[in-house]
Amino acid sequence: MQWVWGEVVNIDLKNNEIIVKHLDYEDSQEKEITISVDSGTVYEGIKSLEEVKLQDSLSIDYAVNKDG
């Protein structure tokens, strides 16, 4: 499992993806990560991706799949 905390900069409901801008603590640079949501996604504090808004701050635990 990986973890990221950052600000939502894009939401793609059609493809079930969000892009989060975060600080990479290894090199102290801001980066963006695309997080894909699927039927196995568990939410805390919201019920679905539709409730996420631009500029929301999110803490996300995620797993990297074989495709990256």
Side-chain angles (χ1 to χ4, degrees):
M1 288 299 277
Q2 301 284 324
W3 172 82
V4 67
W5 175 81
E7 177 183 332
V8 177
V9 294
N10 191 32
I11 305 165
D12 183 348
L13 295 176
K14 181 180 177 186
N15 293 311
N16 292 321
E17 295 179 339
I18 58 173
I19 298 176
V20 176
K21 179 173 61 173
H22 65 97
L23 179 65
D24 185 328
Y25 295 105
E26 291 183 17
D27 62 12
S28 298
Q29 301 219 5
E30 279 197 343
K31 297 184 178 177
E32 292 184 353
I33 184 171
T34 301
I35 303 289
S36 297
V37 176
D38 62 21
S39 62
T41 299
V42 176
Y43 300 94
E44 289 183 18
I46 61 172
K47 294 181 182 178
S48 69
L49 183 61
E50 287 80 11
E51 293 183 39
V52 177
K53 305 292 182 224
L54 291 176
Q55 298 182 330
D56 279 356
S57 292
L58 300 180
S59 175
I60 301 171
D61 295 326
Y62 65 96
V64 178
N65 65 15
K66 64 180 177 176
D67 297 326

